[in-house]
Amino acid sequence: MKHIILLALMFPSMGLSLDVQNSAGAPGQFAADEIQREAAAKGTEVKITLTAEKKAKASPQSYRIRREGEKITVIGADEAGAMYGGLDIAEAIRTGTVDSLKDSEHKPHIAKRGIKFNIPLDLRTPSYSDNSTSAQANIPEMWNLEFWHELIDRMARDRFNVLTLWNMHPFPSIVKVPEYPKIALDDVWRTTADLVEPFDSFSTRGIGMVKPWMLDKKEVVKRITIDEKIAFWRAVMEHAHDRGIEVYWFTWNVFTYGTGGQYGITDDLNNAATIDYFRKSVCETVLTYPRLAGMGITSGENMDHEDGSKGKEAWLWATYGEGISDALKTQPERKFRLIHRLHETGLSPILQQWDKYPGPFEFSYKYAVAHMYASRAPSFIQKVLPEITPEHRTWLTVRNDDLYSFRWGDSDFARAFIQNMPGPDKLAGFYMGPDGYIWGRDFLSRDAVDANGRRQLVWDRQWFSFHLWGRLSYDPSLSDKHFQRLLGTRHLSVSAEKLFAASQASSRIIPQVTRFNWGGIDVHWYPEANLSHPNQYKGFYSVRHFMEGKTMPGEDVLSISEWRDKLSDKKTITAQTPPEVATALERDADTALQLVAELRQQADAADKELTLTLSDYEAQAWLGRYFAAKIQGAIDLAEFNASGNPAAQASAMKHVEKALAHWKQYVAIYGRLYVPQLLNRVGTSDIPALTTKAAKDIEIVRAWKPGTTPLPNKK
């Protein structure tokens, strides 16, 4: 085969020979650089060739590894496959397993594996998350090419190949529309106004996100023209392409942030000027960014229409559908994917309106509502799954509004979650990410700045969880030994098996409690702080809330009231009971604490990341003990409420007193690790300051009157 050697390196002391053929492309070159770095660090002797051979029957992104003595050949079905195979080799060098590599074949279990990134572009063009600490802090980073290079490289290493950028109305910040020239925004703004005090003035539906008093205190964080912005995003998308990653813009509708009311544009769906502006903006976005793979749209929160879903779909077609069609008339060979979220609309009106879309057309479903860290097999999609066809498959929005702080790592949970996703006849792919936090640079950790004064990425802090989800969604058969080796290679001073076990045990705690104390959307439940929206829901969850709470639909977990009813009716119980939930939480917490104590005896004090990781595991364990004692107190409180037995009240009191002691242990660790932050759905999460609310459970139990009627459930 004729080829051009892009990289041929010889290290006499190591015997490394690396040959990258032109068919491997820029992604193969990236893998070669990774191999070179690992080999230089390890002194490995090996001969490696990276190439790609496109065959009709080969799965995209697949690759083969062939070994002949000291010679290893990676043969990708395409450039991405060559890259992934090369990254396997780099990883084997790093973990010291290159000598055991054998002939093997690999193909993706899920073809599209993505990240959901709410992107705070500018004060004037906000994301859904911008009334939060992490969003405001990260606005300058969104216009830093180094940030995107770092993030995209990490995505590729972990086998993610889709980046979705979510913003309510990005067009003024990313494109020039000839017919509406005054709307294109130069420079990048954020506000210096205090967002904490007026937090409750922000709608949870994205309306009124840009307020006059925020604009009055604007700060220009970057001087940049709209032409330079376009060049910037083209560079980001080019770098993503060089790592085998597709980029998509996602929007909610109809929001017109950044237009300033110019040209008669309003949020009125019947406004002809608004429809024309959107159509032209969408068309220009497609034409401006040749590397843009597609768009995602929402029949969303700001789209009330007198004709319901039919009217909303007509508007979306007149704007996005016609705009994309206009662009593709000049680029008929281009495949531009449209992903329509199944949110506040239905399949039937979508299909009726979009039957003429000139390209791949797929759906998106909010798979686990806001909590991916709950069930291993969320059941919500079952109601629509029969209507999903191979012609119009669905993506899964996998929301993580559970873990903003802690390092999570349970391969059993992630593997089962991935394997329980619908099959390829229904599933186009998935993208995971939060609405309430920005996966940008880390402004939450107290110790997030390196020796050069640069903040780490959130990805760096939570690297193990990203690695688990990315690698297992490509290959769920990847064994736990692989993940143990990675932990052991990163933290040489401790037992990899024990570190892995501590990760598993501590990571089971939040899924367990979320299945028991279910609040589907992010407004209803942020488990790290035991919080919900202070006015629209319950605020800090009390022992009474736990007593009266409901469990996750579709799970075999009984609430306290359901369990008591079954006991009273002498029915057979097969589901997990509240006492069993508390026992499971205690067991995992005790296991994690024991392992952390043993690991600290081995740990090298110079390994800062290990110190922080063990503290994260310990904090989650104390949180588990807190929830276990709180549930036990709620069980006894329910008994006292029903029977008036003073012994039940006394037992409840002991449990809530113990819960408070556990909470204090938890916040002592959390406060050393993380700073308070404003979250866009539950307000300020100052976990140490919440101790006064945790203490109120004692007063609730002490003052309880038997026969008290349940609290009304706020919607």
Side-chain angles (χ1 to χ4, degrees):
M1 178 188 298
K2 182 179 179 181
H3 64 272
I4 301 172
I5 296 179
L6 298 179
L7 181 63
L9 300 171
M10 290 295 296
F11 296 91
S13 62
M14 293 179 285
L16 172 66
S17 174
L18 183 55
D19 176 357
V20 184
Q21 300 185 0
N22 70 324
S23 57
Q29 180 70 57
F30 172 65
D33 293 342
E34 297 287 296
I35 292 170
Q36 177 187 353
R37 188 183 71 240
E38 299 297 345
K42 291 286 187 179
T44 301
E45 297 185 7
V46 67
K47 297 179 180 180
I48 302 167
T49 299
L50 298 183
T51 187
E53 295 179 0
K54 296 182 180 180
K55 294 184 177 180
K57 293 184 179 180
S59 299
Q61 309 171 57
S62 63
Y63 59 95
R64 292 172 285 153
I65 294 177
R66 295 290 179 261
R67 179 148 203 167
E68 299 177 30
E70 293 301 313
K71 180 182 178 182
I72 299 173
T73 303
V74 175
I75 307 161
D78 51 20
E79 292 180 354
M83 177 181 70
Y84 292 151
L87 291 172
D88 268 7
I89 303 302
E91 195 168 71
I93 294 171
R94 181 165 73 253
T95 57
T97 59
V98 70
D99 290 341
S100 62
L101 284 175
K102 299 178 181 178
D103 289 0
S104 58
E105 299 192 6
H106 309 261
K107 65 179 182 179
H109 175 69
I110 297 173
K112 305 290 187 183
R113 307 167 302 279
I115 295 298
K116 176 186 184 294
F117 196 106
N118 279 20
I119 181 167
L121 289 169
D122 190 288
L123 167 61
R124 297 161 290 180
T125 55
S127 78
Y128 227 76
S129 310
D130 276 26
N131 56 321
S132 68
T133 302
S134 62
Q136 290 299 311
N138 269 291
I139 286 175
E141 297 300 331
M142 300 303 97
W143 301 94
N144 181 344
L145 200 56
E146 181 184 20
F147 164 77
W148 290 106
H149 283 185
E150 289 181 48
L151 180 69
I152 288 167
D153 287 356
R154 283 157 178 74
M155 288 179 63
R157 291 187 191 107
D158 288 334
R159 312 306 192 264
F160 290 98
N161 65 348
V162 171
L163 174 61
T164 61
L165 303 172
W166 297 55
N167 186 277
M168 286 190 283
H169 185 236
F171 305 116
S173 288
I174 65 170
V175 74
K176 290 194 303 184
V177 183
E179 296 85 351
Y180 300 91
K182 295 180 182 179
I183 289 177
L185 297 175
D186 289 333
D187 301 331
V188 179
W189 296 4
R190 69 177 171 189
T191 188
T192 61
D194 176 26
L195 302 180
V196 174
E197 186 66 27
F199 160 76
D200 202 37
S201 69
F202 289 98
S203 165
T204 57
R205 294 179 62 80
I207 299 165
M209 289 290 289
V210 182
K211 301 181 184 298
W213 51 265
M214 297 169 69
L215 293 168
D216 288 344
K217 293 190 175 182
K218 74 172 176 22
E219 174 190 18
V220 179
V221 297
K222 189 177 180 97
R223 296 288 183 185
I224 183 172
T225 67
I226 187 63
D227 290 316
E228 291 170 328
K229 288 181 177 181
I230 289 169
F232 177 88
W233 288 111
R234 284 176 174 166
V236 170
M237 293 180 195
E238 194 65 35
H239 191 76
H241 179 265
D242 288 348
R243 302 294 182 265
I245 294 170
E246 296 177 347
V247 178
Y248 296 78
W249 283 103
F250 273 66
T251 65
W252 291 264
N253 295 288
V254 52
F255 293 103
T256 57
Y257 293 120
T259 61
Q262 300 177 97
Y263 303 102
I265 296 167
T266 68
D267 286 4
D268 182 359
L269 273 71
N270 295 314
N271 185 342
T274 302
I275 293 171
D276 185 71
Y277 161 72
F278 267 86
R279 178 174 178 171
K280 297 289 197 312
S281 296
V282 170
C283 175
E284 203 62 35
T285 300
V286 177
L287 295 176
T288 298
Y289 297 105
R291 292 297 191 196
L292 185 64
M295 284 187 179
I297 60 173
T298 311
S299 182
E301 283 80 347
N302 199 29
M303 288 194 72
D304 291 335
H305 197 283
E306 60 269 19
D307 290 335
S309 291
K310 182 179 179 181
K312 292 192 291 185
E313 293 306 327
W315 189 92
L316 287 168
W317 172 257
T319 53
Y320 288 86
E322 295 286 11
I324 294 169
S325 298
D326 292 342
L328 295 185
K329 287 173 185 175
T330 66
Q331 300 176 349
E333 75 293 342
R334 184 173 177 183
K335 288 186 178 181
F336 194 85
R337 178 174 281 104
L338 195 287
I339 302 172
H340 195 311
R341 296 181 65 209
L342 292 172
H343 181 63
E344 302 195 4
T345 188
L347 279 166
S348 179
I350 295 174
L351 290 173
Q352 289 173 11
Q353 186 65 68
W354 289 86
D355 62 332
K356 295 180 181 179
Y357 180 75
F361 184 87
E362 292 157 345
F363 300 111
S364 172
Y365 188 82
K366 197 181 291 185
Y367 185 56
V369 197
H371 301 295
M372 64 184 284
Y373 292 109
S375 172
R376 298 181 180 204
S379 61
F380 307 108
I381 199 172
Q382 297 304 319
K383 61 186 178 184
V384 300
L385 204 57
E387 301 178 67
I388 302 296
T389 67
E391 182 182 7
H392 301 298
R393 297 179 299 166
T394 190
W395 293 68
L396 303 181
T397 302
V398 181
R399 282 269 299 279
N400 172 18
D401 285 298
D402 307 284
L403 286 147
Y404 302 156
S405 309
F406 297 131
R407 294 160 173 86
W408 183 93
D410 181 357
S411 59
D412 292 338
F413 182 96
R415 188 181 291 110
F417 189 100
I418 289 161
Q419 290 178 321
N420 285 322
M421 288 179 177
D425 61 324
K426 305 282 188 180
L427 184 65
F430 76 91
Y431 33 78
M432 68 179 204
D435 254 13
Y437 185 65
I438 305 300
W439 277 350
R441 292 209 184 273
D442 183 358
F443 291 90
L444 176 58
S445 299
R446 291 190 183 276
D447 199 353
V449 181
D450 64 19
N452 298 317
R454 189 181 64 167
R455 285 190 173 271
Q456 68 180 357
L457 301 185
V458 172
W459 201 292
D460 294 331
R461 167 162 44 90
Q462 297 181 324
W463 72 270
F464 191 51
S465 62
F466 284 109
H467 185 83
L468 285 171
W469 288 103
R471 294 303 301 275
L472 288 170
S473 58
Y474 184 95
D475 180 9
S477 71
L478 208 58
S479 73
D480 286 350
K481 287 293 184 184
H482 163 82
F483 302 114
Q484 288 181 19
R485 279 195 299 268
L486 281 179
L487 287 172
T489 301
R490 198 169 179 115
H491 304 295
L492 296 172
S493 63
V494 297
S495 162
E497 291 78 10
K498 286 186 178 181
L499 187 59
F500 181 75
S503 175
Q504 298 270 87
S506 63
S507 298
R508 286 192 288 265
I509 287 166
I510 281 180
Q512 174 68 82
V513 75
T514 297
R515 291 193 297 272
F516 177 76
N517 187 56
W518 179 249
I521 60 176
D522 48 5
V523 173
H524 292 169
W525 178 236
Y526 172 47
E528 287 185 318
N530 188 40
L531 271 181
S532 62
H533 194 285
N535 296 313
Q536 294 186 23
Y537 210 57
K538 301 176 182 180
F540 188 85
Y541 278 80
S542 71
V543 65
R544 178 173 186 170
H545 293 131
F546 268 65
M547 180 184 73
E548 297 172 345
K550 300 186 182 302
T551 60
M552 184 177 184
E555 295 296 298
D556 286 331
V557 183
L558 295 176
S559 68
I560 291 174
S561 62
E562 290 171 331
W563 171 64
R564 288 180 57 82
D565 286 346
K566 286 183 179 292
L567 288 175
S568 177
D569 295 340
K570 298 182 179 180
K571 291 183 178 179
T572 301
I573 298 176
T574 58
Q576 188 182 38
T577 66
E580 289 170 340
V581 170
T583 298
L585 289 168
E586 285 182 327
R587 180 176 60 246
D588 287 329
D590 291 348
T591 298
L593 289 172
Q594 178 63 37
L595 288 167
V596 166
E598 294 172 7
L599 288 161
R600 280 183 172 145
Q601 292 178 354
Q602 305 170 354
D604 181 354
D607 187 344
K608 184 178 87 170
E609 183 185 73
L610 177 60
T611 299
L612 295 172
T613 298
L614 294 178
S615 294
D616 260 10
Y617 295 166
E618 183 184 13
Q620 289 175 85
W622 283 111
L623 183 61
R625 281 187 168 178
Y626 168 74
F627 282 130
K630 194 179 189 91
I631 291 167
Q632 290 165 332
I635 291 168
D636 287 337
L637 186 61
E639 171 60 26
F640 177 61
N641 187 55
S643 68
N645 184 349
Q649 184 184 34
S651 181
M653 182 64 74
K654 289 180 181 178
H655 285 306
V656 295
E657 288 174 342
K658 185 184 294 184
L660 179 60
H662 295 332
W663 178 266
K664 289 179 178 179
Q665 293 274 16
Y666 169 58
V667 301
I669 302 166
Y670 190 96
R672 292 198 304 268
L673 298 173
Y674 302 108
V675 299
Q677 61 173 331
L678 176 65
L679 300 174
N680 68 323
R681 291 295 188 271
V682 298
T684 299
S685 175
D686 185 344
I687 288 176
L690 289 171
T691 302
T692 56
K693 293 185 179 295
K696 289 182 179 179
D697 281 346
I698 294 172
E699 293 305 315
I700 290 173
V701 172
R702 180 180 290 120
W704 194 268
K705 302 298 183 184
T708 301
T709 56
L711 284 169
N713 281 318
K714 295 182 181 179
K715 299 299 183 183

